[in-house]
Amino acid sequence: MRKYYTALYNYGARFTNDEALVKDCIQEVFISLWQRRESAAEILSPRYYLLRAVKNKVLKSLHQHVIRIGSMENESAYDFLQEFSVEKLIIDKQMSEEQATILRKTMAQLSKRQHELIYLKFYQHLDHAQIAGLMNLSRQSVYNLLHETIQKLRSLWQAEMFNQ
């Protein structure tokens, strides 16, 4: 739990601003895992398993909340938040303020799915099959989306740099 809690919390917090909900979901995942600890030896990638479980638990909780409230649409409950705090630290340390502004403008033009893909690939270091499982995509779709995202970032970055 100590090893993965921060990564799980950071990932869960990308789907909702409700800290208590994310913490409760993480706790429920670990309780469930403890209750089924005999079969836990079958888990090949604990990081992937826990990320997947937390995502499912948070989305299920949000969905149940939407049903109770009845005021939000299901798709709006799935809102992958776009702030990358680690990214901001790296940008502040390695790039000038001008380049950081350009990068933020470029990233803002990506879709929520593209943001999630970047987060899972480069911040959680998951492989394509694991990302496919988390995002409910085929493995080929992950390759295609990653290629498309990188191409889009590259062209947007060049356009912004050229305009300056």
Side-chain angles (χ1 to χ4, degrees):
M1 183 172 173
R2 286 185 188 121
K3 181 176 181 180
Y4 295 109
Y5 183 84
T6 302
L8 296 175
Y9 178 81
N10 289 337
Y11 186 58
R14 307 234 180 258
F15 296 99
T16 181
N17 288 325
D18 188 347
E19 284 184 38
L21 174 72
V22 174
K23 290 177 181 179
D24 288 344
C25 290
I26 292 170
Q27 185 175 9
E28 289 175 23
V29 165
F30 279 112
I31 289 171
S32 174
L33 184 61
W34 178 255
Q35 290 171 341
R36 295 179 292 114
R37 61 189 174 272
E38 292 82 23
S39 62
E42 300 169 8
I43 298 172
L44 300 177
S45 174
R47 175 182 288 270
Y48 169 76
Y49 174 86
L50 292 169
L51 286 169
R52 177 73 180 197
V54 167
K55 178 182 179 179
N56 289 342
K57 185 66 80 174
V58 169
L59 292 179
K60 184 176 179 182
S61 296
L62 288 172
H63 181 70
Q64 289 171 345
H65 180 71
V66 168
I67 290 172
R68 282 189 300 250
I69 302 297
S71 64
M72 293 173 55
E73 294 180 26
N74 188 25
E75 185 60 29
S76 67
Y78 183 92
D79 190 19
F80 190 81
L81 303 179
Q82 300 175 17
E83 183 181 335
F84 287 88
S85 60
V86 174
E87 173 185 87
K88 184 178 177 345
L89 291 174
I90 293 171
I91 290 170
D92 289 344
K93 289 179 181 178
Q94 295 181 354
M95 300 175 107
S96 68
E97 192 58 39
E98 187 175 297
Q99 288 175 326
T101 302
I102 293 171
L103 182 59
R104 279 192 287 274
K105 279 196 323 191
T106 303
M107 291 291 290
Q109 296 179 49
L110 297 179
S111 71
K112 292 177 182 181
R113 295 294 265 181
Q114 289 172 323
H115 275 275
E116 184 177 7
L117 176 66
I118 288 172
Y119 177 80
L120 294 172
K121 178 69 178 165
F122 298 108
Y123 292 88
Q124 292 299 326
H125 309 289
L126 297 180
D127 64 33
H128 293 93
Q130 293 169 330
I131 294 170
L134 275 173
M135 294 181 70
N136 296 323
L137 298 171
S138 70
R139 192 171 179 180
Q140 185 61 47
S141 295
V142 171
Y143 282 110
N144 294 345
L145 183 60
L146 183 59
H147 176 73
E148 174 188 314
T149 301
I150 291 171
Q151 292 295 92
K152 185 174 182 179
L153 280 173
R154 190 175 287 144
S155 66
L156 291 170
W157 179 264
Q158 288 173 350
E160 286 293 330
M161 294 302 287
F162 183 72
N163 288 335
Q164 293 211 340

